[in-house]
Amino acid sequence: EAGVAQSPRYKIIEKRQSVAFWCNPISGHATLYWYQQILGQGPKLLIQFQNNGVVDDSQLPKDRFSAERLKGVDSTLKIQPAKLEDSAVYLCASSFDRTGELFFGEGSRLTVL
Amino acid sequence: QKEVEQNSGPLSVPEGAIASLNCTYSDRGSQSFFWYRQYSGKSPELIMSIYSNGDKEDGRFTAQLNKASQYVSLLIRDSQPSDSATYLCAVRATSGSARQLTFGSGTQLTVLP
């Protein structure tokens, strides 16, 4: 069974530039998550989708971050404009449903200079 | 904001010893508890889940849950150098449509040969 796919693995940008991350969840998983993990901290939930609808985006900085999950499958997380404090690993995870085990992708490491 | 607290460590134990990792949570009604292992530069992977009071054993790992004390722990018996990693405690919310999974900041474990 294929795991959660993410790209790009690494991205370096200047502050105020934009960046987009892509995630393809495990086939059949209805719930998709984007977490932000800053070095030395635990993952922090940014947004959670159930199929193609948002069920929780309370911690998403909506002035600069946006995410979509078209057709209830893959998802894109965008940051525009980026700030220095956005430097982190962006983890995508999926689960069969809202109560199921989370499976994580390898993450996308963002460095903002 | 639901909170999950862990001792950040680092925790060092000699090879063959028992490593004990602790976690407390603030949402008294939480029902689902998880331990994830995260190797340096890698994404989290689930190693244990526990839903009811008491102990749950899986190989060298034992998860312990005490809902009255809002406390969950992970014991690793016969610790091996390959167990050196950061261990993340995660608690699933009982309220809200998202049933959000909140992570602690992790405890870094080093097993010394």
Side-chain angles (χ1 to χ4, degrees):
Chain A
E1 179 182 85
V4 177
Q6 289 189 247
S7 68
R9 291 291 315 279
Y10 305 93
K11 189 74 174 179
I12 300 173
I13 61 173
E14 301 278 338
K15 60 183 179 182
R16 293 187 290 273
Q17 288 187 324
S18 62
V19 63
F21 302 111
W22 173 84
C23 172
N24 186 260
I26 292 172
S27 177
H29 280 194
T31 312
L32 185 148
Y33 314 76
W34 283 102
Y35 281 86
Q36 179 193 57
Q37 188 173 26
I38 294 172
L39 187 65
Q41 299 181 18
K44 170 189 162 186
L45 181 68
L46 293 176
I47 190 166
Q48 180 176 335
F49 293 93
Q50 182 69 19
N51 296 308
N52 61 348
V54 175
V55 292
D56 188 347
D57 63 356
S58 57
Q59 299 186 87
L60 186 73
K62 298 181 185 63
D63 57 334
R64 298 184 300 106
F65 285 65
S66 64
E68 60 183 7
R69 189 184 184 194
L70 299 176
K71 302 181 181 178
V73 182
D74 54 356
S75 176
T76 301
L77 175 71
K78 296 180 181 178
I79 307 174
Q80 181 180 14
K83 292 185 175 182
L84 296 177
E85 59 260 36
D86 298 331
S87 294
V89 176
Y90 292 86
L91 294 164
C92 180
S94 70
S95 61
F96 181 74
D97 57 27
R98 274 174 278 187
T99 63
E101 172 187 347
L102 269 65
F103 294 86
F104 284 87
E106 293 186 322
S108 295
R109 181 178 298 274
L110 173 66
T111 302
V112 182
L113 303 177
Chain B
Q1 176 68 33
K2 307 298 190 294
E3 291 189 354
V4 179
E5 302 279 348
Q6 294 183 252
N7 291 331
S8 60
L11 174 66
S12 294
V13 300
E15 184 174 356
I18 296 175
S20 178
L21 306 165
N22 304 315
C23 172
T24 59
Y25 57 94
S26 63
D27 182 2
R28 179 168 290 278
S30 297
Q31 298 291 328
S32 306
F33 308 87
F34 307 89
W35 284 99
Y36 283 79
R37 177 176 61 199
Q38 187 172 28
Y39 291 115
S40 180
K42 301 295 185 181
S43 59
E45 58 176 330
L46 182 70
I47 53 172
M48 290 287 286
S49 59
I50 187 166
Y51 303 95
S52 55
N53 278 331
D55 296 358
K56 179 181 178 182
E57 186 175 318
D58 183 0
R60 296 186 295 110
F61 299 94
T62 299
Q64 299 175 317
L65 175 61
N66 184 326
K67 292 184 180 178
S69 300
Q70 296 176 240
Y71 176 90
V72 58
S73 65
L74 180 70
L75 300 177
I76 306 175
R77 291 184 303 280
D78 189 23
S79 295
Q80 301 297 309
S82 59
D83 295 326
S84 298
T86 295
Y87 289 80
L88 298 163
C89 174
V91 177
R92 189 178 292 284
T94 54
S95 60
S97 60
R99 305 290 301 279
Q100 183 181 117
L101 190 67
T102 300
F103 286 83
S105 58
T107 298
Q108 185 178 344
L109 172 67
T110 300
V111 180
L112 304 171

